[in-house]
Amino acid sequence: LDVGGTLAKLVYFEQETDAPVEGHRERHRELGGEFHFIQFETRRMQNAMDLIRANDLHNHIVEMGATGGGAHKFASAWQEELGITMHKEEELESLVAGMQFVLSTVIGECYTYRPEELKGDGWRWSRKVQRDAITYSSTYPYMLVTIGTGVSILRVDGPRKHERVSGSTIGGGTYWGLIRLLTDIDDFEHVMRLAEQGDATKVDMMVGDIYGNKSDALEKLGLPSNLVASSFGKLVAKDDPANGLKEEDLARALLLMVTNNIGQVAYLNAKLHNTPRIYFVGNFLRQNNISQRRLAYAIDFWSKGEMEALFLEHEGYFGALGAF
Amino acid sequence: LDVGGTLAKLVYFEQETDAPVEGHRERHRELGGEFHFIQFETRRMQNAMDLIRANDLHNHIVEMGATGGGAHKFASAWQEELGITMHKEEELESLVAGMQFVLSTVIGECYTYRPEELKGDGWRWSRKVQRDAITYSSTYPYMLVTIGTGVSILRVDGPRKHERVSGSTIGGGTYWGLIRLLTDIDDFEHVMRLAEQGDATKVDMMVGDIYGNKSDALEKLGLPSNLVASSFGKLVAKDDPANGLKEEDLARALLLMVTNNIGQVAYLNAKLHNTPRIYFVGNFLRQNNISQRRLAYAIDFWSKGEMEALFLEHEGYFGALGAF
């Protein structure tokens, strides 16, 4: 169990398959039995506990590996209501242990994006390609960026050797908190679909907005006019800032702002620590193609091809797995 | 003249003092005559030009040093309507030249903040102290962070030797654009006053919100429970995210988010380039004590006292001055 600021992630292992627990669920046939991957909102913890008790799922379980800040916050409730003792594991230990376990056992876990030519429409970073994680994982050090409610950046030097070197308060919680203030959207998968259709240039101030679009100066500076100069900066000059904006546009602009910033902080840290590989994990990336592609592109662009952003299929469950 | 994405900054030099031009104005007795410092919103450029023409201020002026993206965008309008040729200077050249000029001629220009003990209430970074800029400016390299609508980060190696090494799209335009979307505030000085009274912990998810406030785990980790884990992250778990929030709280939380992020990107770059001094300039810092104090504190904290954030009294006018 991994109880974060926004989501709780539960992984359990068994032979049978049906279990009436609420939340998103995935099953993977591995190691002879099956892993179940479940997640629910941390604020629904009481509902989850009620369901577990009502369905007798807690029988015969006396101890459970648990991590994330909520493992501490909810430990006494699990003890009193379900008789389960939370065996608390340190959060980043669990994350790295779970990730190393999956990287070394699951084939096809690791991937990135590369550019793909579109029909007469230039290039897009949309080609998903496998990366051989086992080969990679033998080459330390690497950076590990976990994007949950907040962002932590770790330098990993070996199987049980890692250090939190940086982070950011601008993470998934920032995105979702601001989206909830700015729009009526109340579902993360929905906002991801909307963001696919949005136009960020309606709110972002582009270099071309400042210089004028057909400026010789831009050509001389080597700056493209469609580069973002200021996220949401176009709204400073409008009489009514909300005029003409759709939820789609806000969803996309904010997503790119948060993503670019995480990518930049990760890149600067990777440069400081001289690590060519940056793994991005965490539930913010779940069903979030825009952010994954942008990170792949941005890390390649800033590093002039010397670094690579890598992603993992079970992006949000490593903490819960590692707490086993 | 320096025409940015949000504000246009005009500096002129003369003997007399009264000139009926709209906008914020400051005068400084220096070099025998007087410098006038005026700023107005870039989107009001047409009004400014009308005023200049109506008051015959353009007479006898045939050429004017100009910089910023808008120097390119508005050059033909100034030529046609006022007969003034804009002699265009590169933006960052002008910024550095103007800053070096002021640092070497104006006594008391440079300052920072240091901690001050409050009556029984711990410490606050509120003590403004002078720094001898002339001594400092002889010691290259240093970082120069200019926070306007967007953010540029320069490494300065000598009087006319500098390079833009980084930047951020999360700048003053992001703050002001989002504030205009989230609140009804329509004046930058007003939002600064409101931010002084706000409580950011109403929207930010704190470490203590995740772990529980009296957690042994936090003591073991050495994390204070009042550290921000996720900006605006507290809103992910509320049924109605806007419930109980005041404009003051949003104004403060967003200001700290933008400021911390600029500070972090600046710090990481200073570490990469091994420069102990970081000058922060640009109009985002104007009458913005919260950001200045936070930057002073954060740079000291992250660098463990090895770097210092520095500020300048004429923070927003160096580009316009340097275009002379």
Side-chain angles (χ1 to χ4, degrees):
Chain A
L1 180 70
D2 175 10
V3 188
T6 309
L7 291 173
K9 286 73 69 174
L10 179 64
V11 179
Y12 67 96
F13 184 76
E14 64 155 12
Q15 304 290 348
E16 290 134 298
T17 51
D18 262 18
V21 177
E22 199 180 43
H24 183 82
R25 199 185 313 162
E26 282 179 55
R27 298 197 191 88
H28 294 261
R29 290 188 179 277
E30 279 142 22
L31 305 176
E34 283 190 342
F35 276 110
H36 297 255
F37 298 84
I38 293 171
Q39 53 177 276
F40 55 90
E41 289 179 68
T42 299
R43 62 181 174 136
R44 308 271 184 232
M45 182 60 82
Q46 190 57 54
N47 305 30
M49 289 167 63
D50 292 346
L51 259 165
I52 288 170
R53 193 171 40 196
N55 291 284
D56 283 334
L57 295 173
H58 58 308
N59 288 349
H60 314 300
I61 300 177
V62 291
E63 208 181 58
M64 187 171 61
T67 191
H72 302 274
K73 191 173 178 179
F74 297 104
S76 58
W78 278 67
Q79 182 70 65
E80 282 160 28
E81 299 191 27
L82 301 172
I84 297 178
T85 303
M86 283 199 181
H87 187 73
K88 289 163 222 156
E89 304 285 348
E90 200 274 313
E91 187 169 353
L92 300 176
E93 291 280 346
S94 300
L95 171 70
V96 176
M99 176 176 155
Q100 303 268 10
F101 169 72
V102 173
L103 276 180
S104 62
T105 52
V106 183
I107 294 161
E109 175 71 17
C110 183
Y111 61 94
T112 188
Y113 287 92
R114 298 297 307 165
E116 179 171 42
E117 199 168 4
L118 302 178
K119 284 176 198 141
D121 195 28
W123 294 78
R124 225 167 70 118
W125 281 64
S126 54
R127 190 162 53 93
K128 186 172 174 175
V129 292
Q130 297 292 325
R131 282 290 180 260
D132 184 347
I134 294 167
T135 311
Y136 272 133
S137 67
S138 65
T139 331
Y140 298 101
Y142 60 79
M143 300 305 278
L144 173 57
V145 181
T146 173
I147 316 174
T149 314
V151 179
S152 284
I153 302 181
L154 285 74
R155 175 194 155 113
V156 182
D157 284 292
R160 293 197 83 79
K161 210 176 151 199
H162 59 263
E163 187 187 356
R164 185 188 193 278
V165 292
S166 189
S168 176
T169 69
I170 301 181
T174 311
Y175 181 66
W176 192 225
L178 279 171
I179 282 292
R180 290 191 71 202
L181 273 188
L182 290 168
T183 73
D184 293 324
I185 307 167
D186 209 17
D187 177 85
F188 190 74
E189 290 175 27
H190 184 207
V191 79
M192 287 297 120
R193 285 196 304 276
L194 289 180
E196 291 278 359
Q197 295 141 32
D199 177 4
T201 68
K202 283 203 205 157
V203 304
D204 290 344
M205 184 177 280
M206 314 306 281
V207 168
D209 294 326
I210 303 178
Y211 277 81
N213 269 315
K214 282 174 287 183
S215 164
D216 293 346
L218 284 186
E219 276 192 38
K220 233 178 278 172
L221 287 169
L223 285 177
S225 62
N226 65 352
L227 197 74
V228 177
S230 172
S231 302
F232 288 83
K234 198 169 270 174
L235 307 185
V236 301
K238 284 174 69 177
D239 285 331
D240 172 7
N243 185 31
L245 294 187
K246 289 188 296 188
E247 291 191 329
E248 287 87 331
D249 306 325
L250 294 170
R252 187 179 187 92
L254 195 61
L255 188 61
L256 290 175
M257 180 188 99
V258 169
T259 302
N260 280 334
N261 193 66
I262 294 169
Q264 184 179 26
V265 174
Y267 160 72
L268 288 169
N269 274 287
K271 208 170 160 191
L272 266 174
H273 293 273
N274 205 15
T275 59
R277 282 178 308 287
I278 310 176
Y279 288 92
F280 291 92
V281 302
N283 267 302
F284 178 67
L285 297 175
R286 188 174 169 73
Q287 307 192 313
N288 180 354
N289 280 325
I290 294 177
S291 292
Q292 293 192 15
R293 288 170 183 173
R294 174 56 67 117
L295 287 169
Y297 163 74
I299 295 298
D300 181 85
F301 176 80
W302 286 323
S303 73
K304 300 186 175 70
E306 294 193 352
M307 296 180 193
E308 189 164 62
L310 296 162
F311 308 96
L312 300 167
E313 296 288 354
H314 293 84
E315 67 276 280
Y317 287 102
F318 300 121
L321 264 170
F324 258 79
Chain B
L1 180 70
D2 175 11
V3 188
T6 309
L7 290 173
K9 285 74 67 175
L10 179 63
V11 178
Y12 67 96
F13 185 76
E14 63 155 11
Q15 304 290 348
E16 289 135 296
T17 51
D18 262 19
V21 177
E22 200 181 42
H24 183 83
R25 199 185 313 163
E26 282 178 55
R27 298 197 191 89
H28 293 262
R29 290 189 178 276
E30 279 141 22
L31 305 177
E34 283 190 343
F35 276 111
H36 296 255
F37 298 84
I38 293 170
Q39 52 177 277
F40 55 90
E41 290 179 68
T42 299
R43 62 182 173 134
R44 308 272 184 231
M45 182 61 81
Q46 191 57 53
N47 304 30
M49 289 167 63
D50 291 346
L51 259 165
I52 288 169
R53 193 172 39 197
N55 291 283
D56 282 334
L57 295 173
H58 58 307
N59 287 349
H60 314 300
I61 301 177
V62 291
E63 208 181 58
M64 186 171 61
T67 190
H72 302 275
K73 191 173 178 181
F74 297 104
S76 57
W78 277 67
Q79 182 71 64
E80 283 160 29
E81 299 192 27
L82 301 172
I84 296 178
T85 303
M86 283 200 182
H87 187 73
K88 288 165 222 157
E89 304 286 347
E90 201 273 314
E91 187 169 353
L92 299 177
E93 291 280 346
S94 300
L95 171 70
V96 176
M99 177 176 155
Q100 303 268 12
F101 169 71
V102 173
L103 276 180
S104 62
T105 52
V106 183
I107 294 161
E109 175 71 17
C110 183
Y111 61 94
T112 188
Y113 287 92
R114 299 297 307 164
E116 178 171 43
E117 199 168 3
L118 301 178
K119 284 175 199 142
D121 195 28
W123 293 78
R124 225 168 71 118
W125 282 64
S126 54
R127 191 162 52 93
K128 187 171 174 176
V129 292
Q130 296 292 325
R131 283 288 180 260
D132 184 348
I134 295 167
T135 311
Y136 272 134
S137 67
S138 64
T139 331
Y140 298 101
Y142 60 79
M143 301 305 279
L144 173 56
V145 181
T146 172
I147 316 174
T149 314
V151 179
S152 284
I153 301 181
L154 285 75
R155 175 193 155 114
V156 182
D157 284 292
R160 293 198 82 80
K161 211 176 152 201
H162 59 263
E163 188 188 356
R164 186 188 193 278
V165 293
S166 189
S168 176
T169 69
I170 302 181
T174 311
Y175 181 66
W176 192 224
L178 278 171
I179 282 292
R180 290 191 71 201
L181 273 188
L182 290 168
T183 72
D184 293 324
I185 307 167
D186 210 16
D187 178 84
F188 191 74
E189 291 175 26
H190 184 208
V191 79
M192 288 296 120
R193 284 195 304 276
L194 289 179
E196 291 278 358
Q197 295 141 32
D199 177 4
T201 68
K202 283 203 206 157
V203 304
D204 290 345
M205 184 176 282
M206 315 305 282
V207 169
D209 295 326
I210 304 177
Y211 277 81
N213 269 314
K214 282 173 288 182
S215 164
D216 293 346
L218 283 186
E219 275 192 38
K220 233 177 278 171
L221 288 169
L223 285 178
S225 61
N226 64 352
L227 198 74
V228 177
S230 172
S231 302
F232 288 83
K234 197 169 271 173
L235 307 185
V236 301
K238 284 173 69 177
D239 285 331
D240 172 7
N243 185 30
L245 295 187
K246 290 187 295 189
E247 291 191 329
E248 287 88 330
D249 306 325
L250 294 170
R252 187 180 187 91
L254 195 62
L255 189 61
L256 290 175
M257 180 188 100
V258 169
T259 302
N260 279 334
N261 193 66
I262 294 169
Q264 184 178 27
V265 174
Y267 160 72
L268 288 169
N269 274 288
K271 209 170 158 188
L272 266 173
H273 293 274
N274 205 16
T275 58
R277 282 177 309 287
I278 310 175
Y279 288 91
F280 290 93
V281 302
N283 267 302
F284 178 66
L285 297 175
R286 189 175 168 72
Q287 307 192 312
N288 180 353
N289 280 324
I290 294 177
S291 292
Q292 293 192 15
R293 288 170 183 174
R294 174 57 67 116
L295 287 169
Y297 163 74
I299 295 300
D300 181 85
F301 176 80
W302 286 323
S303 72
K304 300 186 176 69
E306 294 193 353
M307 295 180 193
E308 188 164 63
L310 296 162
F311 307 96
L312 300 168
E313 295 288 352
H314 294 84
E315 68 275 281
Y317 287 102
F318 300 122
L321 263 170
F324 258 79

